[in-house]
Amino acid sequence: MRFLSGNEAIARGAYEAGVKLAAAYPGTPSTEILEALATYDGIHAQWSPNEKVALDVAFGAALGGVRAMAAMKHVGLNVAADSLFTISYTGSTAGLVVISADDPAMHSSQNEQDNRHYARAAKVPMLEPADSQEAKDFVLEAFRISEEFDTPVLLRTTTRISHGKSVVRLGKPVSAAPRHFERDTRKYVMIPGHARPRHVVVEERLERLREFSNRSPLNRVEMGDPSIGIIAAGVAYQYARDARPDAWLLRLGMSYPLPDELIRDFASRVKRLYVIEELDPFLETEIAAMGIKVRGKPPAMQLGELDAGAVAAALGGRSPRTQPVADLPGRPPVLCPGCPHSGVFHVLRKLKAVVAGDIGCYTLSVLPPLECMDTCVCMGASVGHASGLERAFAVAGDERPVVAALGDSTFVHAGITPLIDVVYNQGCTTVIILDNRTTAMTGRQNHPATGRTARGEETHELDLEALCRACGVDDVAVADPYDLGALEQTLKRAISARHPSVVITRRECVLLTRGARRIPARVIEDACVACGLCLSLGCPALGGTPTGPKGRLKPVVAVELCAGCGLCAQICRHEAIVMERI
C-alpha cells in the first residue's frame, strides 16, 4: 500500500500494465505523470516537443507491438486531436492509452474545457477514475479494453483527481508480451478509399463498446433510498457521495459510451433522477436524449469546480465538515525575484512595444506593475499574432513597434512553424525567445533545447540560433537579460530592421540556480528620492515603505528573497541601489 496522487497512481498503473513507452508535454495538472513514469525501470519515458508528437510517438510504439501511453492536459489534446481522430480509425497492434487531465476552474489554464466531448467526437471509449486507487486500476483496464476492441482509450482526470492523494493497493506488473506488427495498408494507411470502410468498423466497435459498458464493473449501482437517484462520474461522484450518502447512486467509471440499459434500469427504480457533473451537461444531455427525465445542475454550476458544499446545496443534502482556512494575506501572482524575464519586459515597456505574448510563467507580465503583454491565446500563437498585428498596423499607419515573446520550451512546442511563415511571407516580425533553459511554469522540466532528457541524462541539445537561421532568419542575436543597456540596444536594432529577426534572451531560471552564491541589493537611504522606478520592476524582493517625500514609497530589500540579479540597481537613476554586502 502506498499514499499516491492520482498522477502518481496513473504512472504506477502504466508500470503494472507493462507499458514500454510513455510520452508527454508538461502541463498542469498532468505534469507529474511522466515525472513519475521516468522513475520506473523498463519504461522509456520522454518529454516530447508538443502533445501531438507525444501521441504520434506513443502510437508508433503501440503499432510496433508494445503498450504505450501519451499524457497531456486538456488543451494539449487540442494539439493532438488531429492524430487522435484518425488513430481511432486505425487502432493499433498493442494497447494505446491517452491521458487527458482537465482543469476545471482554470487553476493554470487559458480555458475551461470539458474533454468528454473528445471521446464522443473521436468515437473512442473514455474512463474516469474517482480516486487514486481507481486511477491505477483503470489504467490496466484501459489497456485491456484498448487491445480487446482495437481502439485508443481516453482516460480523463480532473485537477482534484490528478493532485489529490489516497491510499493505493499496489499490484505486480503484468506480463505484456510484445505483439507482432503486421503490414496492413487498408487498416493503417488512411487514404479516403481505406478510411471509408474503417469508419464502418468504428461505428460497429462503438456498439460493442456500449454493450461492454452495460455489463462492465466499471459502472456500478450503490443502493440506498430510492426516493433520490444520482448519476455521477469522476470527482463529482465523491461530492455526491458526501452530500447524499443515503441516495441510490449510479457511479460511472466508463463515461463513454454510456451504459444505456443500465441507466434505463436505474432510472426506473428511483423517484427523482439527478446528474451531478462538472463543467458541461455532458451526461445530462446524453441521458435526456434517451428519453429519460433527468434533473441536471443549474447553468451557473457549469462554471468552475464543484465541491461537496455546492453539491449538497443542489441535492438538499448535508454540508461536509471542513477545516476553517487560515486568514492568510493575499499574494498577487508575480514573476520570481531575480527572474530574467523581468528585465526584458521592463525594456519592452520602455520602448512602448505592443507585445504578442504566449503561454508560460512570463504571461504574468500582463499584470501590474509590469503590464507589458497585449495578447495571449495558446501555445505558439504569439508569433502569428505579431505578424498579423504588424500588417494591420502598416495599413492603419500605426507606428508602434510589435514583438512576439515566448519561452524556449514554447518556441520548440509551437513557435517554429509560425516563424517559418513570417520568413516565407516576407514579414519583418521580431521574435524574442525568453530562453531560461527549462520549462519553468510546470516545474522545470527539460525539453529538446536543454540538452537533457526526462531522466536528466545528457542528450543532443537543440541549437536555437542555428534552428532560427535554418528557418530563414539571418538576423539572430543573443542577449543577456540582466544587462539592460545592451539588451535595449539589441532590441531597438532588431525592431527597427525591415526583415525578420530573433533575439534570444538567455539566462537560467532563478529556480535552477537557487543554491548559487549571490550578493543581495542594498538601498542607500540618503540617495533614494522615492521615485518608484525600481518598484515598477515588480520584483517580490523589493517592498515599499512610505518614508519618502510626501509619503512616497522608498524601496526595502528583502535580503532573503533577493537573487542578486542587479536589475533594480541598473534602472535606478540616482545610484541609490548597489550590489554589495552589508
Side-chain angles (χ1 to χ4, degrees), residues 357-359 362 378-385 406 410-411 413-416 418:
D358 226 299
I359 304 293
Y362 46 85
C378 62
M379 297 287 281
S382 58
V383 182
H385 292 173
L406 73 172
T410 307
F411 177 71
H413 180 284
I416 300 169

Side-chain angles (χ1 to χ4, degrees), residues 200-419:
V200 176
V201 172
V202 169
E203 296 298 337
E204 292 173 347
R205 182 185 72 201
L206 207 53
E207 286 308 306
R208 289 190 290 117
L209 282 164
R210 197 182 309 281
E211 294 172 9
F212 171 81
S213 184
N214 273 309
R215 65 176 190 276
S216 171
L218 294 171
N219 303 316
R220 68 170 187 263
V221 175
E222 298 175 7
M223 299 179 69
D225 177 3
S227 65
I228 180 170
I230 304 169
I231 299 176
V235 74
Y237 157 79
Q238 302 288 7
Y239 299 146
R241 185 78 283 171
D242 282 349
R244 292 304 300 258
D246 56 323
W248 271 38
L249 208 148
L250 173 53
R251 177 236 176 280
L252 298 175
M254 187 170 184
S255 53
Y256 192 80
L258 286 178
D260 53 349
E261 294 176 10
L262 182 62
I263 290 172
R264 290 182 197 282
D265 180 68
F266 181 78
S268 70
R269 292 168 180 263
V270 297
K271 187 174 181 180
R272 288 171 296 160
L273 180 63
Y274 292 87
V275 169
I276 300 298
E277 56 187 329
E278 275 184 328
L279 299 177
D280 297 342
F282 180 84
L283 298 176
E284 179 188 345
T285 303
E286 290 279 323
I287 294 169
M290 298 177 194
I292 298 172
K293 187 177 180 181
V294 60
R295 301 183 188 194
K297 59 187 180 181
M301 290 177 67
Q302 290 183 25
L303 308 176
E305 287 186 293
L306 291 181
D307 56 45
V311 173
L315 295 175
R318 68 183 184 188
S319 294
R321 289 184 298 175
T322 56
Q323 294 291 328
V325 177
D327 187 18
L328 299 173
R331 188 179 74 88
V334 292
L335 295 171
C336 297
C339 175
H341 303 330
S342 298
V344 178
F345 289 107
H346 169 78
V347 171
L348 290 175
R349 184 178 57 190
K350 186 177 178 182
L351 297 177
K352 296 181 170 53
V354 174
V355 179
D358 226 299
I359 304 293
C361 51
Y362 46 85
T363 314
L364 295 173
S365 67
V366 71
L367 301 174
L370 286 169
E371 295 183 283
C372 187
M373 184 168 287
D374 297 281
T375 71
C376 177
V377 173
C378 62
M379 297 287 281
S382 58
V383 182
H385 292 173
S387 176
L389 280 165
E390 276 187 340
R391 293 185 185 278
F393 281 12
V395 173
D398 191 328
E399 297 183 348
R400 285 176 293 172
V402 178
V403 301
L406 73 172
D408 45 340
S409 184
T410 307
F411 177 71
V412 174
H413 180 284
I416 300 169
T417 44
L419 181 61

Side-chain angles (χ1 to χ4, degrees), residues 63-64 93 179-185 187-188:
L63 200 60
T93 310
R179 300 183 172 203
H180 183 68
F181 169 67
E182 299 285 351
R183 185 172 188 267
D184 186 347
T185 55
K187 185 171 187 287
Y188 294 125

